[in-house]
Amino acid sequence: MKKFYTLAFVVATAFGVQAAAFVSPGDGSTWTMAKIAAIDTSGVTAAAGNAYTVAENVTISAGDIFQLEGGITVTLGKGVEIDIEGTALLAPEVRTTITGADAASAGKYIWVKGASETAPVQVKNLDFAYCALKLTPAMGAVVDGCTFRYHQASVSYGTSALQLGGIGGSTEEAYTVTNCTFEYNRRSAIGTASNVSVPLLIENNIFNYNDDQNLNYPHINVTASSSCVIRGNKVLGNREKTLGGGIIVADLLGVTSNAQSLIEDNEVRDCRYGIAVYSIQNAIVRNNTLVNNNTETNPNNGGSGINFYEPKGNGLTAKVYGNHIEGSLWGVTVIGCKNVNLGRTDVPEGDPEYCPGDNKFINNGNGTDADGNLVRYDVYNNSPNTVYAMNNYWYIANGETPAATVFDIADDDTLGEVVYTPWLGSTFSGISAVGTDNILTGVKYYNLQGVESATPFDGVNIVVNEYSNGAKTATKVIR
């Protein structure tokens, strides 16, 4: 028998009493979808096949517990949200689906505020479609093994399928996102709040064809993080959506002091740009594979494999090594910044300025010269500082030097020098032949003894990337 429960409010209409938002009592009770659906006026109804429809907002009050059952499908009505101010148990053993009806009737999100949390919120085995997950608990969160598809971004729905940090966030407890898949979302896949800094780990996820709205949003959009690690992710853009970027790490509002960023072992293809590092921070960008990030139709507006941007030059420092940068409109661009180091080997290895280089630059550039050849830009130093780029590979013709692919003081006397001597060589091959229409489906790491791992080994790794058409590529990286 269904029960009746006190609601936040009841709306009377000409057609009778309409279901209104359900609010739990805050008395320490535990709530499931089945229990809420048993209340006639909750706005939640049960259907055959372990399915539930949520027609009105649901709030689980501080002190109460929400436990999501396994093996069910929850369909949120248009603009509907589930707010969890109490404890959220969102890790069922059996996969569970949270969805909106379709793009025109998308749900809003599940918002975990976490006022009652005493440990990081666990979110596992969930499939989201046509709605988002918003996490702002002060104790942080762990998101693992979930999928996020078709989020319909807007001002009220948020700009990311997975929204991390904000009101209730913390500068102490970390948010981690691992082993998830993000596809066909309208804007960013993952986004953070710009007004609250939180530690982040984003590792071993797959991102395909996000920014479907084509509005200059990256797949991964970190706008404030005191300590950010983005590792081992596979990002594939849609070349028909020319404005979608790869990865951004920034501190746009200056809320973080001494921010530390590590961006390593990622693969980014077919985006407007590969990796962008903005604002004051200390960054390490290493062992990333960045190929054909050139969909920007106007080179003056972007198209870098890696872009460092901090025009006042007050504090962005970076070490950049072991990266493969191919087919970008600009290979690496440095705008302002304090010290961007692409390789410095004229000092001892223990010196703070030492950087091994070992970056590979292939066919980066835009426009053509009088003979119809690509005008190459592997490194563009748009700053007054010296940029060290020693010990790198440059895809240049016999008799050429890297000067043919560098823009610096030799081209504009207001700019700093790019120091590229010594360099490692120019006889190596590109990897863009895998194709632009293949979706990256997995990656494996092997050490020199042939031992396989899902995560990189310390030292030398052979990285094997697998694609949807059966193609594979192998590259050597040093971690």
Side-chain angles (χ1 to χ4, degrees), residues 25 54 169 200 210 219 222 240 309 380 443 463:
V54 184
L200 290 172
N210 296 292
H219 291 252
V222 177
E240 295 181 359
Y309 180 85
Y380 196 110
V443 61
V463 184

Side-chain angles (χ1 to χ4, degrees), residues 101-133:
D102 52 34
S105 302
K108 198 170 185 181
Y109 42 57
I110 291 182
W111 183 358
V112 182
K113 300 178 180 179
S116 302
E117 300 292 351
T118 58
V121 175
Q122 303 291 312
V123 183
K124 299 180 179 180
N125 294 325
L126 301 185
D127 297 315
F128 290 85
Y130 299 110
C131 63
L133 174 63

Side-chain angles (χ1 to χ4, degrees), residues 352-471:
E353 290 298 310
Y354 177 83
C355 179
D358 199 33
N359 299 292
K360 297 179 175 65
F361 298 99
I362 306 177
N363 292 336
N364 300 291
N366 62 87
T368 56
D369 61 19
D371 297 322
N373 299 313
L374 176 70
V375 178
R376 292 166 292 167
Y377 297 103
D378 283 333
V379 177
Y380 196 110
N381 182 14
N382 194 7
S383 83
N385 306 320
T386 297
V387 172
Y388 286 91
M390 299 174 172
N391 213 49
N392 294 304
Y393 294 88
W394 308 81
Y395 196 64
I396 52 181
N398 290 334
E400 281 189 317
T401 72
T405 71
V406 163
F407 194 94
D408 66 353
I409 191 171
D411 306 279
D412 181 339
D413 61 12
T414 66
L415 302 178
E417 181 183 4
V418 175
V419 179
Y420 51 78
T421 302
W423 66 89
L424 294 177
S426 59
T427 56
F428 58 95
S429 60
I431 59 175
S432 60
V434 170
T436 60
D437 58 344
N438 297 326
I439 294 177
L440 192 67
T441 58
V443 61
K444 296 178 181 177
Y445 299 88
Y446 297 87
N447 63 16
L448 294 182
Q449 288 72 46
V451 178
E452 178 184 329
S453 173
T455 57
F457 295 94
D458 290 333
V460 177
N461 289 260
I462 305 300
V463 184
V464 177
N465 297 309
E466 301 172 342
Y467 298 86
S468 57
N469 71 341

Side-chain angles (χ1 to χ4, degrees), residues 133-422:
L133 174 63
K134 185 174 183 178
L135 299 172
T136 61
M139 295 305 296
V142 174
V143 183
D144 181 70
C146 297
T147 66
F148 299 82
R149 296 183 173 96
Y150 308 113
H151 174 239
Q152 300 300 297
S154 68
V155 173
S156 60
Y157 283 40
T159 59
S160 306
L162 176 57
Q163 303 164 29
L164 303 175
I167 298 172
S170 170
T171 58
E172 298 178 359
E173 301 300 332
Y175 289 75
T176 71
V177 184
T178 55
N179 306 309
C180 294
T181 298
F182 299 82
E183 295 179 317
Y184 311 109
N185 295 293
R186 191 166 170 82
R187 296 184 189 171
S188 293
I190 297 176
T192 68
S194 59
N195 62 333
V196 175
S197 175
V198 293
L200 290 172
L201 170 64
I202 301 173
E203 184 172 27
N204 199 35
N205 304 285
I206 292 176
F207 301 82
N208 291 324
Y209 283 34
N210 296 292
D211 194 29
D212 191 57
Q213 196 176 9
N214 200 29
L215 283 180
N216 192 23
Y217 284 86
H219 291 252
I220 300 174
N221 191 19
V222 177
T223 52
S225 177
S226 55
S227 174
C228 176
V229 177
I230 301 176
R231 175 190 295 132
N233 302 285
K234 310 303 173 184
V235 179
L236 180 68
N238 180 352
R239 297 194 64 82
E240 295 181 359
K241 309 291 185 178
T242 60
L243 297 180
I247 299 169
I248 282 183
V249 177
D251 182 14
L252 298 179
L253 299 182
V255 300
T256 300
S257 61
N258 195 33
Q260 307 294 317
S261 302
L262 173 60
I263 306 170
E264 66 176 355
D265 301 322
N266 302 286
E267 181 168 351
V268 184
R269 292 175 175 268
D270 297 333
C271 294
R272 182 189 177 206
Y273 52 82
I275 296 170
V277 180
Y278 296 164
S279 316
I280 296 174
Q281 59 184 288
N282 301 310
I284 295 176
V285 182
R286 65 187 182 190
N287 299 335
N288 300 284
T289 300
L290 310 170
V291 178
N292 291 338
N293 295 295
N294 55 18
T295 62
E296 170 59 61
T297 57
N298 182 352
N300 292 325
N301 292 335
S304 300
I306 308 175
N307 178 30
F308 296 96
Y309 180 85
E310 195 255 311
K312 294 183 179 180
N314 291 333
L316 194 164
T317 65
K319 288 189 177 181
V320 185
Y321 56 94
N323 300 285
H324 183 112
I325 305 167
E326 178 178 356
S328 304
L329 301 182
W330 316 90
V332 174
T333 49
V334 179
I335 302 174
C337 306
K338 183 178 181 179
N339 183 10
V340 174
N341 187 341
L342 306 180
R344 185 165 185 186
T345 55
D346 62 341
V347 294
E349 289 192 20
D351 191 288
E353 290 298 310
Y354 177 83
C355 179
D358 199 33
N359 299 292
K360 297 179 175 65
F361 298 99
I362 306 177
N363 292 336
N364 300 291
N366 62 87
T368 56
D369 61 19
D371 297 322
N373 299 313
L374 176 70
V375 178
R376 292 166 292 167
Y377 297 103
D378 283 333
V379 177
Y380 196 110
N381 182 14
N382 194 7
S383 83
N385 306 320
T386 297
V387 172
Y388 286 91
M390 299 174 172
N391 213 49
N392 294 304
Y393 294 88
W394 308 81
Y395 196 64
I396 52 181
N398 290 334
E400 281 189 317
T401 72
T405 71
V406 163
F407 194 94
D408 66 353
I409 191 171
D411 306 279
D412 181 339
D413 61 12
T414 66
L415 302 178
E417 181 183 4
V418 175
V419 179
Y420 51 78
T421 302

